[in-house]
Amino acid sequence: MSIVAPSLLAADFLKLESECAMLNESEADWFHLDVMDGRFVPNISFGPMIIEFIRKTTSKTCDVHLMIEEPEKYAEQFKKAGADILTVHIEACRHLHRNVQQIKALGMKAGVALNPHTPVSTLTDILHDIDLVCLMSVNPGFGGQKFIPYTLDKIRQLRRMIDEKGLAVQIEIDGGVTLDNAASIMEAGAHVLVAGNTVFKSADPKGTISLLKKL
Ligand code: DX5
Ligand code: ZN
């Protein structure tokens, strides 16, 4: 069964409280929270302050995706804000092993995200230290982009690597996930589906979450 992680980036921030309530009432498993700094990605979203407010509305897992440079400087702040999973980009971490250890020492699960051009083989020597891999299926920075089909090959390669090592690392797919491509994403070997526009721009967000859950 899939883990569905709606991305609040596509929510109506004037109605943040009711958007969170809707997710709480839905079958969504996680809240996916996209942090952008205008440096690592060409967009700025929100930071720990907003996450602290969101955290107060829910007991579901807060899955924080950092699209920022120097994430090590902010790991503690995101822990205090209530992050359960903290994901950093491999392209933003010169000392990824140290960054991962820091996240785990703070009591969070550690995720590593890969941009579309970054091969999954770069994870070989860190895979056994992490809880989650977030494969970007669009170039990070914006919601509502089109799924890059080659991601399916990357999922298959990564699934093989994880299984060969006998690990329980979760594979999360982020960007352009729709009701049409979600089944093939799951078939390729991913379990965690991030969905922004597909959920929040749907006429029936809760119903859409249920459909994703059934996959
Ligand atoms: C993109 C973000 C995604 C984004 C997904 O940089 O990391 O989480 O919100 O949005 P959709 O599902 O609309 O592509
Ligand atoms: Zn994301």
Side-chain angles (χ1 to χ4, degrees):
M1 225 218 267
S2 62
I3 289 179
V4 177
S7 164
L8 273 291
L9 192 65
D12 180 345
F13 274 68
L14 274 182
K15 300 184 192 141
L16 197 49
E17 191 171 11
S18 61
E19 298 280 52
C20 290
M22 179 277 289
L23 290 186
N24 282 327
E25 289 160 16
S26 79
E27 291 173 60
D29 300 279
W30 298 353
F31 282 32
H32 184 82
L33 302 167
D34 289 302
V35 178
M36 304 178 183
D37 67 351
R39 293 176 64 217
F40 181 72
V41 287
N43 195 12
I44 300 176
S45 59
F46 52 81
M49 189 190 84
I50 300 288
I51 292 177
E52 213 176 311
F53 280 105
I54 293 172
R55 170 81 280 175
K56 285 184 193 145
T57 72
T58 190
S59 53
K60 297 195 183 197
T61 295
C62 284
D63 170 34
V64 176
H65 177 194
L66 296 185
M67 284 159 277
I68 67 173
E69 299 283 357
E70 300 181 296
E72 68 280 2
K73 286 193 181 165
Y74 304 97
E76 202 172 334
Q77 252 176 283
F78 284 104
K79 169 66 186 174
K80 283 192 186 134
D84 298 300
I85 304 170
L86 197 64
T87 297
V88 293
H89 266 265
I90 196 166
E91 302 87 2
C93 294
R94 189 174 293 168
H95 297 286
L96 182 63
H97 184 269
R98 181 183 286 149
N99 302 150
V100 163
Q101 302 309 324
Q102 177 199 28
I103 292 167
K104 293 201 291 188
L106 285 166
M108 295 175 284
K109 288 194 169 170
V112 174
L114 262 56
N115 278 339
H117 75 279
T118 304
V120 293
S121 58
T122 55
L123 293 165
T124 306
D125 296 327
I126 196 74
L127 208 49
H128 53 278
D129 278 310
I130 62 180
D131 301 290
L132 174 142
V133 174
C134 173
L135 291 181
M136 291 307 304
S137 36
V138 298
N139 285 293
F142 303 93
Q145 302 181 77
K146 218 172 150 304
F147 183 85
I148 298 171
Y150 181 68
T151 312
L152 294 174
D153 286 290
K154 292 178 76 174
I155 300 171
R156 287 185 207 105
Q157 289 168 38
L158 181 59
R159 170 52 53 210
R160 214 174 306 128
M161 280 169 70
I162 291 170
D163 291 349
E164 271 169 19
K165 290 175 191 278
L167 299 170
V169 182
Q170 287 175 306
I171 304 179
E172 174 177 70
I173 301 307
D174 188 2
V177 174
T178 65
L179 288 173
D180 291 328
N181 62 22
S184 51
I185 292 169
M186 295 282 292
E187 264 163 41
H191 284 109
V192 186
L193 300 171
V194 174
N197 279 261
T198 292
V199 166
F200 286 96
K201 304 290 185 263
S202 142
D204 175 15
K206 279 190 256 183
T208 301
I209 292 168
S210 299
L211 290 174
L212 288 170
K213 256 324 263 185
K214 287 200 180 74
L215 294 168

